[in-house]
Amino acid sequence: MDARALTKRFGDILANDRVDLVINKGEIHALLGENGAGKSTLVKMFYGSLEPDGGEILWQGNRVKIDNPATARELGIGMVFQHFSLFEALTVVENIALALPNPGRMADLAKRIEAVSKDYGLPLTPTDVVADLPVGIRQRIEIVRCLLQEPRLIIMDEPTSVLTPQEADRLFLTLQRLAKEGCAVLYISHRLEEVKRICHHATILRHGQVVRECDPTKETPASLASMMVGADVAAVSASEKKANLGGVRLGLKNLSAPAATPFATALNKISLDLRAGEVVAIAGVAGNGQGELFDAISGERPVRSFMIEIDGTACGTKSITWRRRQNAAFVPEERLGHGAVPGMLLSQNVVLTRHATSDGLSWGGLVSLPKAVSIQERIKRDFDVRMSHDNPEARSLSGGNLQKFVVGRELDRKPGLLVVDQPTWGVDAGAAALIRQALIDLARSGSAVLAISQDLDEIFEIADRIAVISRGYLSEAEPAEKMTRERVGLLMAGGAETQGDVA
Amino acid sequence: MRIELVKRKEQSKAMALLSPVIAIALTALSAAIIFSLTGHNPALGLYKFFIEPLTQQWSLEATIDKATPLILIACGLAICYLSNNWNIGAEGQFIIGALFGSFLPILFPDFENGATLPLMLVSGALGGALWALIPALLKTRFNTNEILTSLMLVYVASLLLDYLVRGPWRDPGGFNFPESRMFSDAATLPEVFGGALSLATPITLVIAIVLAVLLAKTLKGFEIRVMGQSPRAGSFAGFSAKGLTLFSFALAGALAGLAGTMEVSGALNQLLPTISPGYGFTAIIVAFLGRLNPLGIIVAGFVLALSYIGGEAVQTALGVSNKIASVIQGLLLFFVLACDTLILYRVRVISRRAPGGEASHV
């Protein structure tokens, strides 16, 4: 594939500005860039979901016009999305049949699925219902669905964000095999380690333009990151000053809770002592109980009183407001709709989590909006939240900027205990470094920080101790320097469960 | 050519004010089309319906009289709708409120003193609140759909009223007509402004203004708006969804019940088998036309009251069925909800098959 001077404009914003990109047969080509650099826009043009405003696409030497995804598939371009498009109530084979132009008989298709998936090291059972399958397997379905159409180019958007290291290794083998067979892969990822490991070539986008092309195997993750951001990314300095441990701020004692819905995870006898001055990170693959654990600690979902202690006081049944008054602060994973109300101004979103604490935002039932506005301005300044005009609605902020805002809103309180779920999810490298440094600094100033994350790089960067959550069980928190990626991977894949049972 | 809706980054403030105006204009246009289809002069029809009632003092007063219960009920409903609780049963809460407010003058006609009226009003509000709490409790306890339960209770309430005025509460000296006894003077809402209006109107205006302040300035108002927009964020803020469901239903029921009591005490002076021309349902339209804002609702209540008076006017002047009023009310709600789309979306007309919109992935 050869794209020349592709341009796409949304209103006044040039999302892609004369982008040139050549992908060769048998090549794994990385597409790198910060959030909003224009990666998604570019691949959507390749896949026919967006039409370019200028430039041309050459496919195997011929000029083509890709009007819609069906045309793309006919040409032999397949795509695996970051967010899956599967019907949960249907089986694997039914889901795949829906995407194929002429699926033929179900039984034959099921045999083909079994053969192809096994052949590529991604075994699937065609009769399984999707709802019962973990995320890693769901992704396999998407990949196998692509493979069945014998693509010449596969586009993958952050495929490893939902996988354990072991599952990711398996995916890499598949990708390498595909490349050997002559298929081209366009690989989008924020994880620079993997890019360096498996990609042959990298194109880096910034503000919609190609800024560099390079051979990632000859670069370091740090040099790749600085190319993306356009400046040196401040390395997060964690271990220079060792933590001065204080008393236990947050104690989880045999925390158990049944699953609230059939798709939720039950929590099983989770125990953890979080001390003042340290950052403890909880690793794990998405959907293993992180959300449930967060809700229990924050108080959105009450549990038995003795199960949670804040500064020594049992409070499993106490409200989130009570816990905030104990100087605890919480940042949930979902920023829009949970951490912030989309249609409300940022200042009103300050009131959302701080109306009951000692900020003077609420007095005798009346809300002081001017005070909220000035707090909002302070957060904006301290955490470099960029916005188009003063105090906009939360929904108008980009994901990364809103994340800086919701994290900043809590850090601004200087909480004694901070629990944060996915602190830098979907945030670009520059902002991520800022947030991570702020978490470490908070801990060093004597607070306790619990970070739940699915990003291992992040965890090793910030954590003093690491625990792993798997199917609602938590492994014992161990000092970060004794942990290795392999060990974390094994615990993610179920090791935490057996350990949790023993403990 | 193709018409697209493009999502705005933020709500448009201009459109938030303009959308009810556009909706009223579109309703008038549709009404004109209906008038001409039924063989009437559309200009005359529109004039009789929308303008003439405003030109005479008696019809202006009648309009304000009708607007009063609409505004009071709609203020309560706005609190419900803002907090994502779909109370459709204000008509029933209005009736039960009227019953609770009437038991004193009907069963104890000799209890006549300064406390009579205040007791009636309090008991009417209480009755409406209790009736509204039934669907609220069913929702919080059993997760039932409050739209259905609150609506169905309307029919229970109106049959209960019908039974009482034909049976136990029938006026002993009333020649077997299905009516209660007339209320005594002590149980009658006094008139103000030289007899032009009942005390209900100033009471309603005060309540609307208090609620406007509650919504704009207090933590409770903040809670109501947060819960309506994203319940998950509301529970993260430490607000209780169940508590708010009970609160908003009780408040809406109390205001509807108060409106019911003031209607029987101020306007009818007795209980009849039918005491409302559908105020509880029309108030739903009022609430939305007023953009769920008590101050907007004051204006909207007046517009909808006009449709009652205008409906009668076109019936006498042109011989059009007075059902035209219901048709126009329905059209108005339809256009109000449709025009609300414009607040968060921009309409873009695309002349040629052009780049722009994003097709779906699959």
Side-chain angles (χ1 to χ4, degrees), chain B residues 221-247:
Chain B
F222 181 73
E223 174 183 345
I224 288 166
R225 281 175 292 139
V226 168
M227 274 299 183
Q229 291 187 37
S230 42
R232 193 80 209 278
S235 94
F236 184 61
F239 303 139
S240 149
K242 288 184 176 178
L244 190 59
T245 297
L246 297 175
F247 171 84

Side-chain angles (χ1 to χ4, degrees), chain A residues 324 338 355 365 367 389 393, chain B residues 10 217-219 232 236-237:
Chain A
R324 285 203 178 107
H338 191 177
H355 58 85
V367 175
H389 58 94
E393 286 175 15
Chain B
E10 296 185 69
K217 298 280 175 207
T218 67
L219 194 60
R232 193 80 209 278
F236 184 61

Side-chain angles (χ1 to χ4, degrees), chain A residues 15-29:
Chain A
N16 278 163
D17 186 5
R18 290 172 316 235
V19 171
D20 299 315
L21 183 71
V22 181
I23 308 167
N24 295 316
K25 211 173 146 181
E27 173 184 73
I28 304 181
H29 191 119

Side-chain angles (χ1 to χ4, degrees), chain B residues 81-101:
Chain B
Y81 300 158
L82 280 172
S83 63
N84 222 350
N85 288 298
W86 299 99
N87 177 3
I88 309 295
E91 181 81 1
Q93 292 141 27
F94 179 91
I95 293 171
I96 296 294
L99 290 180
F100 266 67

Side-chain angles (χ1 to χ4, degrees), chain B residues 9-28:
Chain B
K9 281 190 108 177
E10 296 185 69
Q11 296 186 14
S12 154
K13 288 206 177 67
M15 268 303 163
L17 289 174
L18 216 55
S19 95
V21 179
I22 299 174
I24 291 176
L26 288 171
T27 308

Side-chain angles (χ1 to χ4, degrees), chain B residues 16-292:
Chain B
L17 289 174
L18 216 55
S19 95
V21 179
I22 299 174
I24 291 176
L26 288 171
T27 308
L29 184 67
S30 312
I33 293 171
I34 293 171
F35 282 130
S36 40
L37 285 179
T38 50
H40 299 283
N41 179 348
L44 185 65
L46 286 183
Y47 174 78
K48 290 276 178 199
F49 196 98
F50 288 107
I51 311 289
E52 200 185 50
L54 301 175
T55 58
Q56 281 157 320
Q57 198 191 343
W58 72 267
S59 53
L60 208 53
E61 283 171 17
T63 308
I64 295 174
D65 265 346
K66 286 242 183 319
T68 300
L70 289 177
I71 293 168
L72 192 53
I73 301 169
C75 282
L77 290 182
I79 305 283
C80 281
Y81 300 158
L82 280 172
S83 63
N84 222 350
N85 288 298
W86 299 99
N87 177 3
I88 309 295
E91 181 81 1
Q93 292 141 27
F94 179 91
I95 293 171
I96 296 294
L99 290 180
F100 266 67
S102 307
F103 86 89
L104 200 61
I106 291 175
L107 299 181
F108 306 97
D110 300 331
F111 181 80
E112 279 183 76
N113 56 42
T116 313
L117 200 58
L119 278 176
M120 284 168 62
L121 295 179
V122 168
S123 129
L126 197 67
L130 289 176
W131 199 249
L133 279 173
I134 300 173
L137 284 169
L138 289 173
K139 179 181 182 179
T140 52
R141 183 73 188 78
F142 299 108
N143 216 5
T144 53
N145 184 322
E146 75 274 23
I147 298 178
L148 294 177
T149 49
S150 65
L151 178 63
M152 290 191 292
L153 282 168
V154 170
Y155 304 105
V156 177
S158 69
L159 289 172
L160 185 64
L161 167 70
D162 199 68
Y163 163 74
L164 285 174
V165 293
R166 288 175 202 279
W169 286 11
R170 190 171 52 193
D171 183 2
F175 311 104
N176 262 340
F177 280 104
E179 298 168 351
S180 78
R181 68 168 81 237
M182 296 298 288
F183 292 1
S184 65
D185 283 348
T188 302
L189 214 54
E191 294 181 324
V192 290
F193 304 123
L197 297 169
S198 102
L199 187 62
T201 305
I203 292 179
T204 297
L205 289 179
V206 169
I207 290 177
I209 290 164
V210 167
L211 285 180
V213 173
L214 172 98
L215 278 177
K217 298 280 175 207
T218 67
L219 194 60
K220 194 73 191 172
F222 181 73
E223 174 183 345
I224 288 166
R225 281 175 292 139
V226 168
M227 274 299 183
Q229 291 187 37
S230 42
R232 193 80 209 278
S235 94
F236 184 61
F239 303 139
S240 149
K242 288 184 176 178
L244 190 59
T245 297
L246 297 175
F247 171 84
S248 64
F249 265 90
L251 183 69
L255 295 185
L258 184 62
T261 303
M262 295 201 294
E263 182 73 7
V264 288
S265 161
L268 306 174
N269 245 270
Q270 64 182 150
L271 279 182
L272 300 170
T274 307
I275 55 169
S276 155
Y279 286 137
F281 293 116
T282 308
I284 297 171
I285 310 174
V286 174
F288 281 105
L289 184 64
R291 305 220 45 78
L292 304 182

Side-chain angles (χ1 to χ4, degrees), chain A residues 8 44 47 49-53 69 73 81 85 294-295 300 320-321 324 330-332 337-344 348 351-353 355 362 365-367 389 392-393 395-396 409, chain B residues 7-13 213-214 216-222 224-227 229-239 344 346 348 353-362:
Chain A
K8 178 75 200 174
K44 278 180 186 162
Y47 194 58
S49 3
L50 283 177
E51 226 175 306
D53 292 331
R73 284 196 289 260
F81 286 95
S85 45
F294 179 87
D295 286 351
E300 285 171 88
I320 186 167
T321 302
R324 285 203 178 107
F330 310 95
V331 181
H338 191 177
V341 183
M344 286 196 162
Q348 294 171 317
V351 180
L352 190 72
T353 63
H355 58 85
S362 148
L366 292 175
V367 175
H389 58 94
E393 286 175 15
R395 67 171 138 231
S396 73
R409 180 179 62 189
Chain B
K7 193 156 191 200
R8 299 176 197 267
K9 281 190 108 177
E10 296 185 69
Q11 296 186 14
S12 154
K13 288 206 177 67
V213 173
L214 172 98
K217 298 280 175 207
T218 67
L219 194 60
K220 194 73 191 172
F222 181 73
I224 288 166
R225 281 175 292 139
V226 168
M227 274 299 183
Q229 291 187 37
S230 42
R232 193 80 209 278
S235 94
F236 184 61
F239 303 139
L344 203 51
R346 205 154 42 86
R348 190 164 65 178
R353 216 199 130 277
E358 183 175 326
S360 68
H361 291 325
V362 186

